[in-house]
Amino acid sequence: MLNGVGGCTVAEAKANISYAEVLAWVAYRDKHGTLDIGRRLELSTAIIALQVNRSAGGKAEMADFMPHADHQALALEKAMAEWV
């Protein structure tokens, strides 16, 4: 049961999907981003928040409005310079 809505189980889907279909989904995800609706909504609201911030003279970055995004690690030297 797919999220209680219907369809096949994960095991059935894995058994029935072809390699070509997997490649098609990978290409779709590479072009359009994640399939996770929460992440897509977070990105959309971050874009709006960034535009509002910039129009008000702010210097925020996109990552500042995306708490669940994978952020790049801060270099030790840069962190020390910013925290002093």
Side-chain angles (χ1 to χ4, degrees):
M1 189 70 64
L2 183 64
N3 291 331
V5 177
C8 58
T9 65
V10 173
E12 290 171 334
K14 285 181 178 181
N16 294 328
I17 193 168
S18 68
Y19 184 68
E21 187 175 359
V22 169
L23 292 179
W25 278 111
V26 168
Y28 178 88
R29 187 171 168 222
D30 288 345
K31 182 176 180 180
H32 298 286
T34 182
L35 301 175
D36 182 353
I37 190 70
R39 295 286 175 105
R40 293 177 75 92
L41 182 60
E42 182 179 61
L43 175 62
S44 300
T45 56
I47 290 170
I48 294 168
L50 182 64
Q51 293 302 315
V52 170
N53 178 270
R54 296 270 170 93
S55 67
K59 304 238 186 265
E61 298 294 325
M62 178 81 78
D64 296 335
F65 302 107
M66 298 181 68
H68 298 103
D70 298 328
H71 302 291
Q72 292 183 352
L74 190 61
L76 178 60
E77 294 81 17
K78 185 175 180 182
M80 290 174 62
E82 289 181 3
W83 294 338
V84 174

